[in-house]
Amino acid sequence: MKRYTGNCLCAGVRFSILGEIGPIQVCHCMQCRKAQGTAMATNVPVRMDDFTLEQGSELLTSFESSPGKQRVFCRRCGSPLYSQRDTLPGVLRIRLGLVNEDIDAPLQAHFYAASKANWWPLAADALPRYEAGADSCEWRG
């Protein structure tokens, strides 16, 4: 069984994920852009049972960015770690850039393409594009 490791920028928060991860979700919504400081967020849904916080629980802090949605980050370095929704219990949406190992999971789609940053072109790939998508960041795996 695969095991992935990850950490925040200051390495105060370390975690592991046991098992396969994916699919990779690319979100272009304004909220994700603001939270990440980038043109998009790349997230991967992970069952909470497959996620282990190895160190740094005292560094975790969260912000309720919309009703029922918590964004968790490192209070020391500010790295966004994951988000969690009340409507999707038992699943964390890990920020994929934190994972140390190579990822061989497929890209799933571009979500909230209608609200993408005007200064960032969408890749000319064959991925599905959803203009909005209330279900875009959910996982049914």
Side-chain angles (χ1 to χ4, degrees):
M1 184 171 287
K2 283 196 170 188
R3 181 176 181 271
Y4 295 91
T5 62
N7 57 273
C8 64
L9 182 62
C10 72
V13 176
R14 294 180 185 271
F15 63 86
S16 62
I17 301 167
L18 191 60
E20 296 296 329
I21 60 173
I24 300 168
Q25 301 170 341
V26 183
C27 187
H28 298 272
C29 79
M30 184 178 294
Q31 193 178 90
C32 280
R33 290 198 324 265
K34 297 283 185 183
Q36 310 310 307
T38 61
M40 70 204 80
T42 52
N43 307 306
V44 65
V46 172
R47 285 181 170 78
M48 288 177 76
D49 291 344
D50 297 336
F51 178 87
T52 302
L53 183 63
E54 305 287 347
Q55 78 174 43
S57 62
E58 73 283 0
L59 295 174
L60 298 182
T61 193
S62 66
F63 172 70
E64 188 173 23
S65 58
S66 55
K69 182 176 182 178
Q70 295 290 324
R71 291 178 179 271
V72 177
F73 56 95
C74 174
R75 78 173 74 234
R76 183 188 300 153
C77 67
S79 291
L81 300 165
Y82 58 85
S83 64
Q84 196 171 0
R85 289 183 178 198
D86 291 348
T87 58
L88 201 56
V91 175
L92 303 176
R93 292 182 53 243
I94 305 295
R95 302 310 178 247
L96 196 55
L98 302 174
V99 174
N100 297 319
E101 291 76 24
D102 288 343
I103 305 295
D104 55 4
L107 289 166
Q108 181 181 27
H110 293 280
F111 298 110
Y112 292 94
S115 62
K116 75 168 193 63
N118 70 333
W119 46 266
W120 188 266
L122 282 180
D125 55 34
L127 292 177
R129 295 178 186 189
Y130 299 99
E131 295 303 300
D135 295 333
S136 68
C137 296
E138 292 184 13
W139 179 49
R140 294 173 181 30

